[in-house]
């Protein structure tokens, strides 16, 4: 939601018995053709739980609050820098039934012992390394029809003033 305030409908299938060749599948949603996807039951992820994406779900409202950033210097000579980033999102279910909501967010990952990262989440995420990817957290919970849920992340980076950060977004 930090890059695109949209929800996507993804169907998770039970593991498919037998041997299935990779190939195109037509995707229908509520009886209407929505496009074409590829079912590849040979991939490692698909062997445990195949997925098909059905595009954007306009019945899930997504609002992202503006990102809040704060910086400060610490120490007698201002030798340390502390920077915090706060992001929050609200999701509203406009479906007539409950949905299983999964929200992914990127968290900073330090690759240097001189850079300390402290992350706080509300509520606590279901996975701290979604699909084994460090820095990708996942919240997962049911969302009742007509209900809303808010998710927030706060990251604090602490490092010496002379350390150069290389950031990727």
């Amino acid at each position: 939601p930090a890059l695109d305030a949209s929800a996507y409908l993804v169907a998770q299938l039970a593991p498919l018995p037998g041997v299935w060749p990779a190939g195109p599948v037509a995707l229908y949603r509520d009886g209407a053709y929505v496009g074409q996807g590829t079912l590849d039951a040979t991939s490692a992820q698909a062997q445990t739980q195949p997925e098909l994406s059905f595009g954007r779900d306009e019945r899930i409202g997504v609002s992202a609050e503006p990102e809040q950033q704060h910086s400060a210097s610490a120490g007698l000579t201002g030798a340390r820098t502390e920077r915090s980033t706060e992001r929050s999102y609200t999701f509203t279910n406009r479906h007539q039934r409950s949905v299983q909501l999964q929200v992914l967010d990127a968290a900073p990952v330090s690759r240097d012992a001189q850079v300390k990262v402290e992350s706080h989440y509300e509520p606590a995420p279901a996975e701290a390394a979604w699909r084994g990817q460090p820095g990708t957290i996942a919240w997962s919970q049911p969302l009742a029809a007509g209900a809303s849920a808010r998710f927030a992340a706060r990251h604090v980076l602490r490092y010496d003033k002379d350390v150069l950060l290389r950031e990727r977004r």
Side-chain angles (χ1 to χ4, degrees), residues 11 24-29 31-38 51-55:
V25 292
L27 304 175
Y28 289 85
R29 182 173 167 193
Y33 177 78
V34 294
Q36 180 174 313
T38 301
E51 292 181 344
L52 291 172
S53 177
F54 285 81

Side-chain angles (χ1 to χ4, degrees), residues 109-135:
V109 176
S110 175
R111 299 190 192 282
D112 188 326
Q114 295 178 354
V115 179
K116 305 293 183 207
V117 177
E118 191 177 300
S119 296
H120 304 278
Y121 302 101
E122 186 61 40
E127 296 179 62
W130 179 72
R131 293 188 179 167
Q133 298 178 41

Side-chain angles (χ1 to χ4, degrees), residues 27-113:
L27 304 175
Y28 289 85
R29 182 173 167 193
D30 298 329
Y33 177 78
V34 294
Q36 180 174 313
T38 301
L39 180 62
D40 183 4
T42 61
S43 72
Q45 202 275 316
Q47 289 176 2
T48 57
Q49 195 159 27
E51 292 181 344
L52 291 172
S53 177
F54 285 81
R56 287 189 174 170
D57 188 347
E58 283 77 20
R59 292 184 182 162
I60 300 291
V62 181
S63 65
E65 295 175 20
E67 186 176 274
Q68 303 290 319
Q69 292 190 2
H70 307 281
S71 285
S73 295
L76 187 59
T77 61
R80 296 208 33 93
T81 300
E82 179 175 299
R83 190 174 78 195
S84 69
T85 304
E86 297 177 39
R87 294 187 299 250
S88 59
Y89 317 103
T90 302
F91 295 82
T92 304
N93 182 3
R94 295 188 293 252
H95 285 277
Q96 296 296 319
R97 58 181 168 66
S98 175
V99 297
Q100 182 64 30
L101 186 66
Q102 183 179 57
V103 180
L104 303 178
D105 194 36
V109 176
S110 175
R111 299 190 192 282
D112 188 326

Side-chain angles (χ1 to χ4, degrees), residues 154-167:
R154 181 173 188 262
H155 307 289
V156 179
L157 283 76
R158 293 182 182 90
Y159 52 94
D160 290 336
K161 188 169 105 175
D162 59 340
V163 172
L164 295 175
L165 296 183
R166 187 174 67 194
E167 300 181 65

